[in-house]
Amino acid sequence: MKFDYDSKFFDPEQTLECGQTFRFEKCGSFYKVYASDKACKVEKRENKTVVECEEGDGEFFYDYFDLARDYSDICERAKSFSFPLLTRAATACSGLRLLNQNREEMIYSFIVSQNNNIPRIKGVISRICRGLGEKKSFFGEEYFTFPTTVKMAGAGAEFFKKAGAGYRDTYLAETADEILKRGLTRFENLDGKTLKKELMTLKGVGAKVADCVALFGFGKRDSFPVDTWIEKIYREDFGGTEKDREKINLYFTRLFGDISGYVQQYLFYAKRLNL
DNA sequence: GCCCAGGCCTTTC
DNA sequence: GAAAGGCATGGG
């Protein structure tokens, strides 16, 4: 099936390349996107962005791309703060949407992301899917699903090491084991702050990874992950002087409140593009 | 050879 | 509770 959306507020490149997901491929004019155990194609055609997926997956991808939400209001609110970088970002990247992603996929993916660069993160995750995921086909082309926790827990640290995860191999193995035993119910129905603290009890999940999981996996849009790029933005574009990441996090979340997560993505993506 | 990447864990003070 | 090392790996 196919559906479309105003491309001013849904740009495939901005939405996929901004660092919130690592499972997509650019193929000429369109992107192949993988999420949990599903796949779709996304293409921008003039003023419409078109999503094409299997018959039963329309609702899944409508939710995945967060299409029920009005982003024009979010963009305007972001611009109203009058920080030059943020205004440039919200103007040039109005098509950047926050994805609603699978919770376990977010936990494992962002454990891989720590002290790592995006191309390499993509490679590691791709090899994990290839090794442990289920082979499926989409429009005649094969792809691999993101592995279930059962598969992740059964793999052992050596597998993750061979996939290129480096020293994060034991974090993945231990956290998969923990989630296999206790599930995710203890992370449900919590406010953002409590969820973050609870996520940080997992091995390999610190403040920044927890914020990413809360934001992209649990829809906690008042989260503001602080990484090396945000530190740089804080110093160079907001005149900040604090060194402690938790203080920087507090500065931004108090400033941007319920739209912290959107603002964080605008800033992060714009800074990387040197906007 | 260096430094950096969507940091976290452990040890030490 | 704060500060400092160590950590796998690949790109620039």
Side-chain angles (χ1 to χ4, degrees):
Chain A
M1 73 165 295
K2 284 188 189 180
F3 56 92
D4 59 54
Y5 194 94
D6 179 4
S7 62
K8 182 177 179 190
F9 295 110
F10 182 15
D11 182 284
E13 181 179 14
Q14 292 168 6
T15 299
L16 297 167
E17 305 272 11
C18 71
Q20 57 181 328
T21 175
F22 307 103
R23 290 215 297 144
F24 61 91
E25 297 166 30
K26 188 175 170 65
C27 303
S29 65
F30 64 92
Y31 283 94
K32 293 185 203 171
V33 179
Y34 311 102
S36 300
D37 59 347
K38 297 177 170 54
C40 72
K41 288 185 187 179
V42 191
E43 183 174 20
K44 184 171 162 180
R45 298 178 189 162
E46 297 175 8
N47 59 341
K48 290 288 179 194
T49 291
V50 181
V51 178
E52 188 170 5
C53 63
E54 283 180 3
E55 215 43 51
D57 295 343
E59 207 169 311
F60 174 87
F61 282 109
Y62 187 85
D63 174 66
Y64 176 79
F65 289 114
D66 202 30
L67 295 177
R69 199 184 309 267
D70 175 20
Y71 276 68
S72 67
D73 180 56
I74 293 165
C75 271
E76 288 313 309
R77 286 182 59 197
K79 290 179 202 169
S80 73
F81 287 96
S82 298
F83 291 104
L85 177 66
L86 181 54
T87 301
R88 290 200 299 280
T91 304
C93 309
S94 66
L96 193 169
R97 307 183 72 82
L98 291 198
L99 301 171
N100 294 308
Q101 302 191 68
N102 179 272
R103 296 168 176 194
E104 287 156 76
E105 182 171 343
M106 289 300 91
I107 293 170
Y108 302 127
S109 296
F110 279 94
I111 285 176
V112 172
S113 83
Q114 66 163 68
N115 197 32
N116 213 338
N117 57 61
I118 291 177
R120 217 170 78 79
I121 298 164
K122 289 179 73 169
V124 173
I125 291 173
S126 167
R127 287 188 289 279
I128 290 174
C129 292
R130 186 164 289 275
L132 301 177
E134 185 188 338
K135 189 192 287 189
K136 292 180 77 171
S137 85
F138 178 64
F139 288 124
E141 293 171 53
E142 79 170 23
Y143 71 98
F144 291 85
T145 65
F146 196 94
T148 61
T149 285
V150 174
K151 287 284 194 179
M152 292 289 288
E158 314 75 42
F159 169 81
F160 298 117
K161 182 86 168 178
K162 268 195 282 181
Y167 69 89
R168 310 161 194 83
D169 58 349
T170 55
Y171 300 164
L172 290 168
E174 281 186 43
T175 290
D177 203 42
E178 166 73 10
I179 295 175
L180 181 65
K181 281 185 194 141
R182 298 182 58 192
L184 291 182
T185 53
R186 67 181 166 118
F187 302 116
E188 287 163 6
N189 304 317
L190 302 176
D191 65 276
K193 274 196 148 180
T194 314
L195 173 62
K196 178 177 178 179
K197 277 180 71 177
E198 195 64 23
L199 286 167
M200 286 173 67
T201 63
L202 295 170
K203 192 51 85 58
V205 178
K208 189 272 174 184
V209 170
D211 274 323
C212 285
V213 174
L215 181 56
F216 306 131
F218 287 80
K220 301 298 184 188
R221 302 299 166 91
D222 54 348
S223 307
F224 195 102
V226 177
D227 70 334
T228 55
W229 288 91
I230 293 294
E231 281 185 339
K232 188 173 160 69
I233 290 164
Y234 172 73
R235 288 193 309 269
E236 295 179 0
D237 300 281
F238 288 78
T241 53
E242 296 288 355
K243 294 276 182 192
D244 180 32
R245 286 191 172 192
E246 282 305 283
K247 286 182 180 167
I248 298 173
N249 171 268
L250 198 59
Y251 166 79
F252 282 119
T253 52
R254 282 209 281 235
L255 187 55
F256 297 120
D258 64 318
I259 61 166
S260 291
Y262 306 98
V263 168
Q264 196 271 2
Q265 282 302 107
Y266 290 143
L267 292 173
F268 177 80
Y269 186 55
K271 194 69 173 179
R272 288 174 53 91
L273 289 181
N274 213 1
L275 272 183

